[in-house]
Amino acid sequence: MSTRTSVRSSLWLGLLAVPAVAFFLVFSYAPMAGLVVAFKEFDISKGLFGSPWNGLDNFRYFFASGDAQRILVNTIVLNVLFLAATLAAGVTLAIMLNELRGRFFKRAAQSTIFFPYFVSPVVVAIMLQVLLSGPAGDGGVVNDALAGFGLPTVSWYTEPGPWPWILTFVKIWQLGGYMSVIFLAAITSIPEDVYEAGQIDGASRAQMALRITLPLLKPTAAVLLVLGVGRIFYGDFGTIYAIVGDNGTLFPTTDVIDTYVFRSLRQIGDFGTTAAIGLFQSVVGFVLVSTAVLIQRRYSKETSLL
Amino acid sequence: MTSSLAKAAGRTAAKRRSGSWEPFTVVSVIGVALFMLVCLIPFWVIVSGSFTDEQTLAGKGYSLIPQPFSTAAYKLIFTGPTLVSAYVASIVITVAGTVLALSITSGLSWVIARRLPYVSRPLAIFAYIPMLFSGGLVPLYLLVTQYLKLQNSYFAVILPLLVAPFLVFIQVSAFRQLPEEILDSARVDGAGELQIFFRIGLPLSKPILAVVGLFYAVHYWNEWFTALLFMSDIHKYPLPLLLQNLISNVSFSQMLPTAAAQSTPVYQLRLALTVVTIGPILLAYPFAQRYFVKGITLGATKG
């Protein structure tokens, strides 16, 4: 094959990537340029380029508003809770699933606990309403149970206190099965003779799980942890907004950057300040994600992306 | 000699494994069973509630057995025009979105996977950067509403999610596993690069196409954020957005046939609509599950 035909054929081949390149240019790269709005006093009638510059005013306004501290703290606290809880749940479930015998039960169990991952956040929000508030606003399955044990019922949707834990529980429900799939794959790749050696030495199943399986899951957990920490500045908008919505009573513990940005865009229409928060989030997020990816690549060559 | 000993040990080990029930195994079975229950109960309460008569639901709350049994909400769903149109919207978005997204992602992934000099690597980086840095909500909102003018168009939901970099990398690594000899032999037979892609690359990659396509399909079926941002015409709402409106108690008498509007089974309807939203995923799940497991395992080791 001559070089000329190969160049021509690779040109043809390049055509296949054109739609995707166009997509990235319009929906990923153009919005990056659009971030200049963070430095402008945006006026929709003047458009993006006609609006006057206002320097760092938008940033000052956000950090002086008093909301900044609350949503930053919430974002980090909630994400740390979510990450720790889902990793722990994933490891525990994977080790337990690995103990199961009987192919049918094992498969049924895996299918069941994996399913919540595919459920829309809106559906999750409705389920939570069923559990916590009942149709008429008071009651719900949980309160019925509390009353059954003679305990006082709680008006969940007006109490901000327990919500970080409720949301963490929701996350475990959504992602526990998903995480266990990853960890179970890691367990399957552990060579069988390690366990045989343990067995010859008279280890019990519990000892083998604790002393062999758990330590060997560390690299997988470390990779997931690092990537999770890298994304700590991005909340799960869908789940939190679907559940909390515009219920202001719960904001003190549940309002995160993403929900705040969404609300100030939709309700106040303050494009400049909203974009400033978005830019702040993107920049810090970028530093964290890149650091995370660099660390992850250093420690696990075969899991690197590019 | 040693290997046969090891084999014998392995055999007894296997025997012990299936014979005795150690405490840890019992604990595991109980633990997994409990978690299964936690996963199932919310679904069951919703299904049961959707078949329970509205008055009982409002008076006594939810229960695990639908009594008195009623299908009023389902009758409403399939006679109310907005509810049917929401279903149609969701189907259109899911089908069109998945087909478009899968085609475009496959094209890009193939070019990256072929390791063309000066092309593949820059393309990979080009697709990777959006995973690290994004413009965020405001520029996207301005782009779609002010420049592309896509409000109330299904494309406003489809286009922003068209290429997921994560899935590109799963697909690239799958394409790279195709044996180069097959492609070379096609070249020797005079096939062009595009022909190779359509006639050989794609047909040989059906499993990975299924994985990636299913991820896109679930994503589009559940997508409501972009719909929330860009859809204001209630007749174009996809299912999740309609549901979300029901949660926030927006008046929805306009979605229902007028005769039924007075005695709308609000709570029951909300649950029935939830069942209808989960339904298709639940039906497809038994066939699709192994593909998802495969995709996640690939993603965990490659991305």
Side-chain angles (χ1 to χ4, degrees):
Chain A
M1 192 192 289
S2 74
T3 350
R4 229 172 106 200
T5 48
S6 128
V7 166
R8 190 189 290 163
S9 66
S10 72
L11 271 180
W12 277 112
L13 200 51
L15 274 183
L16 291 173
V18 169
V21 169
F23 163 81
F24 281 117
L25 282 177
V26 174
F27 285 95
S28 299
Y29 289 91
M32 289 183 201
L35 275 170
V36 294
V37 76
F39 303 99
K40 291 196 165 208
E41 194 185 326
F42 185 73
D43 182 345
I44 215 153
S45 60
K46 290 180 192 150
L48 187 58
F49 301 101
S51 299
W53 297 93
N54 70 351
L56 294 175
D57 282 0
N58 292 326
F59 293 89
R60 268 188 220 114
Y61 178 79
F62 169 59
F63 284 105
S65 69
D67 294 333
Q69 199 199 346
R70 185 188 72 191
I71 64 171
L72 291 182
V73 168
N74 280 344
T75 306
I76 291 170
V77 167
L78 286 178
N79 273 322
V80 167
L81 278 177
F82 295 170
L83 190 58
T86 51
L87 281 179
V91 170
T92 316
L93 281 170
I95 288 180
M96 285 178 159
L97 281 170
N98 191 45
E99 283 299 307
L100 298 189
R101 301 141 190 205
R103 287 185 83 189
F104 179 75
F105 181 53
K106 195 170 175 175
R107 200 178 290 170
Q110 228 187 335
S111 305
T112 312
I113 64 177
F114 189 25
F115 187 68
Y117 174 73
F118 300 100
V119 171
S120 162
V122 182
V123 171
V124 176
I126 288 190
M127 289 176 171
L128 208 57
Q129 243 181 7
V130 167
L131 291 176
L132 296 181
S133 94
D138 53 338
V141 177
V142 171
N143 276 336
D144 291 349
L146 284 178
F149 288 111
L151 295 166
T153 59
V154 181
S155 168
W156 298 101
Y157 283 86
T158 55
E159 285 281 341
W163 277 91
W165 306 108
I166 298 175
L167 292 176
T168 306
F169 182 82
V170 169
K171 278 285 149 188
I172 294 179
W173 187 83
Q174 279 182 315
L175 293 179
Y178 172 88
M179 289 286 191
S180 78
V181 168
I182 297 177
F183 284 113
L184 202 57
I187 291 180
T188 322
S189 69
I190 298 173
E192 190 62 39
D193 39 348
V194 186
Y195 291 102
E196 280 166 11
Q199 215 152 31
I200 291 166
D201 290 344
S204 70
R205 308 264 333 148
Q207 278 172 322
M208 284 197 276
L210 276 179
R211 304 276 164 79
I212 300 175
T213 315
L214 202 56
L216 288 174
L217 287 181
K218 264 190 201 157
T220 312
V223 169
L224 291 174
L225 182 72
V226 163
L227 292 178
V229 170
R231 298 202 63 78
I232 214 157
F233 244 58
Y234 298 93
D236 174 2
F237 171 85
T239 306
I240 296 183
Y241 189 77
I243 292 172
V244 177
D246 300 323
N247 179 358
T249 356
L250 301 183
F251 288 169
T253 57
T254 60
D255 205 15
V256 293
I257 302 177
D258 291 310
T259 50
Y260 183 86
V261 162
F262 178 77
R263 274 202 328 276
S264 46
L265 179 67
R266 285 301 296 267
Q267 292 171 0
I268 311 164
D270 184 349
F271 289 88
T273 314
T274 312
I277 310 168
L279 179 58
F280 172 71
Q281 182 188 29
S282 295
V283 169
V284 180
F286 172 71
V287 172
L288 288 174
V289 176
S290 326
T291 317
V293 170
L294 286 180
I295 294 175
Q296 181 231 328
R297 275 192 173 194
R298 198 165 164 170
Y299 286 99
S300 54
K301 273 269 176 329
E302 74 269 30
T303 59
S304 72
L305 255 171
L306 284 171
Chain B
M1 181 67 188
T2 37
S3 77
S4 72
L5 261 180
K7 259 184 205 158
R11 223 173 291 137
T12 46
K15 243 187 189 167
R16 242 180 76 189
R17 215 182 145 158
S18 56
S20 71
W21 281 74
E22 286 190 33
F24 186 62
T25 311
V26 178
V27 170
S28 298
V29 171
I30 295 172
V32 170
L34 280 179
F35 197 81
M36 282 169 80
L37 270 184
V38 170
C39 289
L40 285 175
I41 284 175
F43 290 106
W44 180 248
V45 174
I46 283 187
V47 173
S48 156
S50 73
F51 283 110
T52 309
D53 184 64
E54 175 79 0
Q55 257 137 20
T56 321
L57 216 50
K60 288 194 199 155
Y62 304 101
S63 67
L64 292 177
I65 306 140
Q67 210 173 21
F69 191 82
S70 147
T71 53
Y74 289 98
K75 279 182 192 139
L76 263 183
I77 286 183
F78 292 106
T79 49
T82 312
L83 301 171
V84 170
S85 78
Y87 223 93
V88 172
S90 273
I91 291 172
V92 169
I93 288 170
T94 306
V95 172
T98 306
V99 169
L100 269 176
L102 187 58
S103 322
I104 294 180
T105 307
S106 302
L108 175 68
S109 307
W110 184 260
V111 180
I112 295 179
R114 291 279 62 81
R115 302 185 206 268
L116 304 174
Y118 308 111
V119 177
S120 294
R121 199 162 166 80
L123 260 185
I125 294 169
F126 184 75
Y128 185 57
I129 287 173
M131 278 175 95
L132 301 178
F133 189 87
S134 83
L137 185 60
V138 176
L140 178 71
Y141 184 81
L142 291 176
L143 174 75
V144 174
T145 57
Q146 302 297 309
Y147 294 92
L148 303 176
K149 305 230 183 284
L150 289 175
Q151 295 104 312
N152 284 323
S153 153
Y154 294 146
F155 281 109
V157 182
I158 294 174
L159 292 181
L161 306 167
L162 211 48
V163 183
F166 160 73
L167 294 176
V168 172
F169 290 104
I170 287 187
Q171 216 175 0
V172 167
S173 69
F175 279 152
R176 280 192 179 151
Q177 280 162 11
L178 290 181
E180 194 68 32
E181 295 80 28
I182 298 182
L183 309 181
D184 276 339
S185 75
R187 277 184 203 112
V188 171
D189 290 347
E193 288 296 326
L194 286 180
Q195 245 178 329
I196 292 174
F197 172 64
F198 286 112
R199 296 273 181 83
I200 297 166
L202 286 184
L204 284 179
S205 311
K206 275 181 199 147
I208 193 65
L209 292 178
V211 171
V212 173
L214 283 168
F215 267 100
Y216 277 124
V218 170
H219 205 116
Y220 277 117
W221 184 261
N222 285 337
E223 179 57 28
W224 64 289
F225 175 53
T226 42
L228 184 67
L229 272 178
F230 303 125
M231 300 288 205
S232 53
D233 177 2
I234 201 164
H235 299 289
K236 292 201 158 177
Y237 278 9
L239 273 175
L241 187 57
L242 193 66
L243 256 186
Q244 201 257 338
N245 258 12
L246 293 188
I247 307 181
S248 41
N249 273 318
V250 173
S251 150
F252 45 84
S253 53
Q254 50 174 320
M255 303 172 202
L256 303 164
T258 39
Q262 288 120 352
S263 59
T264 310
V266 182
Y267 309 122
Q268 201 192 349
L269 187 66
R270 186 185 291 172
L271 300 184
L273 202 57
T274 311
V275 173
V276 169
T277 308
I278 312 174
I281 297 184
L282 195 59
L283 288 180
Y285 185 64
F287 310 100
Q289 189 213 0
R290 64 194 176 98
Y291 291 111
F292 284 113
V293 171
K294 195 173 167 190
I296 292 173
T297 332
L298 269 177
T301 49
K302 290 287 173 202

